[in-house]
């Protein structure tokens, strides 16, 4: 069962978010969690959070289209089966989560018409209900994880707020990018959950946020290399 998360963002949290954004603008490269609780991200894009086992699959770039889909008891049982090997350790749970989320995503995509989403973004996908940008993908992955959390399928992790990273010094390769988040309970390490460059049904990348997309050392010191496999391509829409 998920604890109720308030939708009201405290004034000091909003102020901190504004200050962080200003600092990012000065440094030209930044990484930051979404301001406040998970609901803030959903509210920003007018997206609906899961209701019981019902999700609202985002598509058309920026959650402009939201299509309802409800996981059945048999679906949840299959997800629980896929998660069972993850009880051994946090690392095992992350591996199991990749498979479970891939299964849930393809199940929903097939039902709502997004199974043919082209990995990454392109101009032709903007506004197409069958295509998803990284806002859509990150929101959907978070919704699936919230369903898993509701059914207490995580032993070693909790679902965290959306994560955003960018470095405009890189041009398109540093475009603003979103990911869902899992937080390891014991170490409090945050892991980015990102399937934007992968086809429906493929296990997402789950990697430490410091190494995800653009290495944090690159962000801070302007290094010339470290980046994860999740690199955006030119698009006319924010990811």
């Amino acid at each position: 069962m998920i604890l109720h998360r308030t939708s009201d963002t405290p004034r000091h949290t909003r102020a901190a978010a504004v200050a962080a954004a200003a600092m990012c603008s000065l440094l030209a490269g930044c990484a930051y969690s979404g301001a406040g609780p998970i609901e803030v991200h959903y509210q920003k894009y007018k997206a609906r959070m899961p209701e019981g086992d019902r999700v609202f699959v985002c598509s058309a770039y920026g959650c402009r289209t939201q299509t309802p889909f409800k996981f059945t008891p048999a679906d949840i049982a299959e997800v629980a089966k896929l998660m069972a090997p993850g009880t051994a350790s946090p690392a095992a749970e992350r591996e199991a989560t990749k498979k479970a989320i891939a299964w849930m995503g393809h199940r929903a995509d097939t039902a709502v018409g997004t199974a043919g989403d082209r990995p990454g973004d392109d101009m032709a996908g903007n506004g197409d209900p069958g295509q998803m940008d990284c806002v859509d993908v990150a929101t959907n992955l978070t919704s699936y994880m919230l369903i898993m959390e509701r059914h207490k399928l995580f032993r070693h992790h909790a679902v965290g707020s959306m994560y955003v990273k960018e470095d405009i010094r890189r041009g398109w390769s540093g475009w603003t990018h979103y990911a869902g988040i899992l937080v390891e309970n014991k170490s409090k390490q945050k892991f980015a959950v990102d399937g934007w460059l992968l086809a429906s049904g493929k296990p997402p990348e789950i990697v430490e946020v410091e190494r995800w997309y653009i290495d944090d050392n690159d962000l801070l010191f302007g290094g010339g290399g470290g980046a994860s496999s999740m690199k955006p391509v030119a698009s006319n829409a924010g990811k």
Side-chain angles (χ1 to χ4, degrees):
M1 181 177 181
I2 302 172
L3 295 177
H4 176 70
R5 299 181 175 92
T6 177
S7 60
D8 295 327
T9 306
R11 184 176 300 175
H12 70 273
T13 302
R14 293 196 300 270
V18 171
M23 181 62 70
C24 284
S25 296
L26 290 173
L27 296 177
C30 63
Y32 48 91
S33 293
I38 292 176
E39 286 93 330
V40 172
H41 169 81
Y42 283 81
Q43 291 166 357
K44 177 180 178 180
Y45 289 97
K46 297 181 173 61
R48 293 177 68 175
M49 294 187 69
E51 298 173 0
D53 291 335
R54 190 184 191 206
V55 293
F56 300 87
V57 180
C58 285
S59 62
Y61 289 24
C63 289
R64 279 185 283 170
T65 295
Q66 297 169 47
T67 310
F69 172 77
K70 186 174 182 179
F71 291 100
T72 67
D75 292 335
I76 300 302
E78 179 63 25
V79 175
K81 181 180 177 181
L82 291 170
M83 288 296 292
T87 59
S89 68
E93 185 164 87
R94 290 191 292 275
E95 288 302 310
T97 298
K98 292 179 184 180
K99 297 176 182 178
I101 292 177
W103 189 91
M104 293 177 79
H106 193 59
R107 176 82 173 88
D109 288 338
T110 301
V112 306
T114 51
D117 172 63
R118 296 182 293 275
D121 291 0
D122 57 55
M123 294 183 66
N126 190 6
D128 183 343
Q131 298 297 310
M132 296 180 283
D133 70 353
C134 78
V135 172
D136 297 322
V137 172
T139 305
N140 293 335
L141 292 178
T142 299
S143 291
Y144 303 145
M145 291 191 292
L146 288 172
I147 295 287
M148 294 164 68
E149 188 175 66
R150 175 176 179 271
H151 286 278
K152 300 184 179 180
L153 298 181
F154 291 120
R155 174 176 293 188
H156 302 287
H157 298 82
V159 182
S161 297
M162 202 67 61
Y163 208 78
V164 187
K165 192 177 280 190
E166 63 188 17
D167 188 347
I168 61 175
R169 297 168 300 185
R170 295 170 176 263
W172 285 114
S173 65
W175 195 259
T176 307
H177 192 39
Y178 289 72
I181 290 292
L182 279 178
V183 183
E184 189 175 310
N185 294 334
K186 196 168 185 179
S187 68
K188 303 307 178 185
Q189 172 66 50
K190 293 181 179 180
F191 291 85
V193 182
D194 189 1
W196 174 62
L197 284 184
L198 300 169
S200 178
K202 298 295 184 181
E205 179 183 53
I206 299 182
V207 64
E208 295 89 342
V209 293
E210 295 84 2
R211 297 194 301 114
W212 166 69
Y213 178 42
I214 301 168
D215 191 283
D216 276 10
N217 288 329
D218 252 4
L219 286 173
L220 295 172
F221 305 113
S228 97
S229 61
M230 292 296 164
K231 290 186 68 177
V233 295
S235 170
N236 67 327
K239 307 172 189 59

